[in-house]
Amino acid sequence: MSDTRPAGYDPYAFEPFAVTVDLAVFTVRESSLHVLLVERGQEPYRGAWALPGGFLLPRESAEAAARRELAEETGLTEQTAADLHLEQLRTYSDPDRDPRMRVVSVAYTALVPDLPEPRGGGDAAHARWTRLSSAAHLAFDHDTILADAHSRIGAKLEYTCLATAFCPREFTLGELQQVYETVWGVELDRPNFRRKVLATPGFVEAVEGEPRRTGGRGKPAALYRAGAASALHPPLLRPEGRQQT
């Protein structure tokens, strides 16, 4: 391969650094928000819990690396990792964030319906879904990344249709409401929530066929799927002063 670098350019004049990806992957399990964590199998922070991620390969984009690392470190299939909706969160570049060398990380966040239990692989000894409230003291600066990711998805639920990414392909409005309540940590008024969702064009589409009976004694609940819209007009704002206890 011919050298296409400009004349006079010296790559050794700059201090080398590495680029990694980190992923904050959320799901709703047992009516609680969970995040995907891996136990580090190598130093630094061997034995500590962390967000899944790793180093970019020389000819690899950040998003491709994120999906590859997600599959390698959690045991999720390559197809499952490829199908996830990943959104770039931000770049973390504090000079001292990694004790090995200067490392810049591109962080992603993903919202997924409940998936099978993950298993460790690659550099990860184990992988598990962990309640967000119990995810603390993570390796590197992953506590900060996780907090930023949680804040981002909470805000995006107000003005986008992202909440449907937490739901199965067909869902009830009660299941959709549970997503909002779980991520926001608030209690929502059921009739008001239902009215707002159904009045928003393209948010959800009714599924033809028999309704699905829920666990209670009430009448069967209608099924919906994600609509064609990506943004909510008007936004579905979280209520103030109704925090769950």
Side-chain angles (χ1 to χ4, degrees):
M1 180 181 295
S2 62
D3 191 345
T4 58
R5 290 176 296 191
Y9 174 75
D10 180 10
Y12 301 103
F14 303 92
E15 181 178 349
F17 68 94
V19 180
T20 62
V21 290
D22 291 302
L23 295 105
V25 183
F26 297 96
T27 195
V28 175
R29 306 185 112 200
E30 301 171 350
S31 302
S32 296
L33 190 62
H34 284 62
V35 63
L36 186 60
L37 297 180
V38 296
E39 183 183 2
R40 287 189 55 79
Q42 298 180 0
E43 296 292 351
Y45 301 106
R46 182 172 183 174
W49 290 92
L51 299 175
F55 289 91
L56 268 70
L57 299 178
R59 302 291 297 174
E60 188 176 43
S61 70
E63 182 172 333
R67 296 186 187 279
R68 175 182 54 78
E69 288 287 348
L70 186 60
E72 290 179 358
E73 292 201 341
T74 64
L76 298 176
T77 66
E78 292 184 4
Q79 188 60 54
T80 297
D83 290 341
L84 294 184
H85 172 79
L86 293 184
E87 178 176 324
Q88 191 172 129
L89 177 63
R90 55 168 291 189
T91 300
Y92 295 82
S93 58
D94 188 287
D96 300 317
R97 62 179 303 274
D98 192 310
R100 292 168 292 190
M101 63 182 297
R102 179 73 190 273
V103 175
V104 174
S105 180
V106 181
Y108 288 83
T109 186
L111 314 177
V112 299
D114 196 6
L115 295 174
E117 288 294 333
R119 63 182 187 277
D123 295 338
H126 302 284
R128 72 183 185 192
W129 290 109
T130 301
R131 289 181 187 271
L132 181 63
S133 58
S134 301
H137 309 295
L138 304 180
F140 305 104
D141 54 356
H142 290 185
D143 287 312
T144 298
I145 296 176
L146 183 56
D148 290 346
H150 183 216
S151 177
R152 168 73 66 84
I153 66 169
K156 294 208 71 171
L157 257 58
E158 294 188 331
Y159 59 89
T160 74
C161 303
L162 204 55
T164 59
F166 276 117
C167 298
R169 197 174 74 87
E170 296 181 353
F171 51 86
T172 67
L173 292 185
E175 289 170 333
L176 183 63
Q177 179 175 333
Q178 186 182 68
V179 169
Y180 280 91
E181 292 181 336
T182 301
V183 175
W184 286 349
V186 300
E187 294 181 354
L188 301 176
D189 179 74
R190 182 177 177 181
N192 190 41
F193 177 82
R194 178 184 178 88
R195 182 172 60 254
K196 287 182 177 180
V197 169
L198 296 181
T200 303
F203 191 0
V204 297
E205 298 176 354
V207 175
E208 296 182 1
E210 291 295 323
R212 183 177 67 193
R213 182 174 295 280
T214 55
R217 295 182 177 180
K219 64 181 181 179
L223 290 174
Y224 296 84
R225 64 170 63 95
S230 58
L232 298 179
H233 301 291
L236 205 164
L237 301 178
R238 74 190 83 184
E240 298 293 336
R242 299 187 64 185
Q243 298 292 319
Q244 289 180 332
T245 58

